[in-house]
Amino acid sequence: MKQLIRLHHPTPPNIYTYSNANTTTYFAPTPSPTPSPTLSPTPTPTSTPSPNVVFADDFESRNFNQWTNTEISSGETASVVRWNFNSGLYSAKFTSNGGANTEDSYVSKTIGESEVYARAYFYVANGLPLADNSDRFYLTELMAGTQYLAGVGIRHNNGVDKWVLYARSGSSWIGPYYVSTSTVAEGQWYCVELHWKQSSSGGVVELFINGALVQQITGLNTGTYGKATSAIFGLSSASGVQNELEIYADSCTISRSYVGP
């Protein structure tokens, strides 16, 4: 009687076997899915300030610590608040109570520039219209030591509140220069930029509102007092104003070149 010999092949690699008395069955395992790589989010690049920017503050630090000085006369206030901002979450708030002939509530920064652009966004929440002709207050001013060089603000003239620019040529005041092409009112943000250039005969003072050049004075002697040594932002030299004023400022920038909106 012949003997039946069953030849057994080696089990292929990665193959599982199942056997019973009569058969052997081979099973290939289901391959595990290849995991997808985890992608890390691309970091948002940090913007690099222009090399011409001397100083900038959007008040997101929630204080005035970056400024050289805070000037607040009796009855006035200056604070950083989380409402009524132009960008970010915070802005600076300056108020006056209308109780004195001259009132101040502002921040200032020490600089040393022969040409400077001082740009900020301003919002008048309360106090307009002003009551009497020549009632006025200033939002941005430049100084050399204790001497005012130039400034931009709001002044009541012939029954209308107007943007106003003043400057010095030599030691003499020039102005006020009123803006007829741009109105001013409560309840909206304005981009206000003051430009001053030092020169004994070619001095320049300019005012930009919302990016438009609205006033320009050239051929000045702006060299008498030297460089601009400080820039003021806020509510400065409010004169004859009986109303309570409420002013907001945001995105203040001091630069050696035009900033714009």
Side-chain angles (χ1 to χ4, degrees):
M1 182 176 180
K2 294 181 179 180
Q3 184 178 9
L4 180 63
I5 300 174
R6 176 173 291 178
L7 300 178
H8 295 276
H9 297 283
T11 303
N14 299 323
I15 297 294
Y16 299 99
T17 62
Y18 168 78
S19 300
N20 58 25
N22 300 313
T23 62
T24 299
T25 307
Y26 296 96
F27 296 92
T30 302
S32 300
T34 302
S36 300
T38 302
L39 300 178
S40 300
T42 302
T44 302
T46 303
S47 59
T48 303
S50 165
N52 289 322
V53 171
V54 177
F55 172 78
D57 189 15
D58 55 9
F59 304 105
E60 296 305 297
S61 62
R62 295 176 283 178
N63 55 54
F64 293 130
N65 291 351
Q66 297 186 64
W67 297 86
T68 307
N69 186 44
T70 303
E71 183 70 25
I72 307 172
S73 57
S74 177
E76 282 60 68
T77 68
S79 58
V80 176
V81 296
R82 191 178 178 176
W83 66 82
N84 209 22
F85 43 80
N86 181 68
S87 63
L89 293 175
Y90 295 88
S91 65
K93 178 183 178 181
F94 306 96
T95 70
S96 67
N97 65 3
N101 289 332
T102 302
E103 298 169 310
D104 292 302
S105 173
Y106 62 77
V107 289
S108 64
K109 183 68 177 180
T110 297
I111 56 175
E113 302 298 326
S114 58
E115 183 169 14
V116 59
Y117 292 78
R119 193 287 313 266
Y121 285 85
F122 290 103
Y123 184 104
V124 182
N126 188 59
L128 299 183
L130 299 173
D132 303 315
N133 279 339
S134 298
D135 286 0
R136 61 198 179 273
F137 60 91
Y138 296 96
L139 301 170
T140 303
E141 293 181 299
L142 298 172
M143 299 185 70
T146 59
Q147 299 294 329
Y148 288 93
L149 300 174
V152 55
I154 298 171
R155 181 168 174 152
H156 200 70
N157 178 251
N158 292 331
V160 179
D161 293 334
K162 299 178 181 179
W163 293 109
V164 65
L165 178 68
Y166 78 87
R168 266 189 160 148
S169 187
S171 59
S172 301
W173 293 106
I174 58 173
Y177 294 91
Y178 295 104
V179 174
S180 59
T181 57
S182 179
T183 60
V184 57
E186 289 183 358
Q188 58 182 302
W189 285 98
Y190 294 94
C191 177
V192 180
E193 185 160 355
L194 174 64
H195 173 215
W196 178 88
K197 180 180 179 181
Q198 178 188 1
S199 174
S200 59
S201 60
V204 176
V205 177
E206 295 177 319
L207 171 60
F208 299 84
I209 302 293
N210 295 333
L213 177 62
V214 296
Q215 192 61 263
Q216 181 185 62
I217 315 167
T218 61
L220 302 177
N221 173 12
T222 54
T224 300
Y225 298 106
K227 294 181 177 181
T229 59
S230 64
I232 290 171
F233 296 89
L235 175 56
S236 176
S237 303
S239 301
V241 178
Q242 301 90 15
N243 303 344
E244 294 182 357
L245 295 171
E246 183 179 338
I247 310 294
Y248 294 84
D250 205 352
S251 302
C252 300
T253 302
I254 303 169
S255 176
R256 299 184 183 99
S257 62
Y258 175 72
V259 182

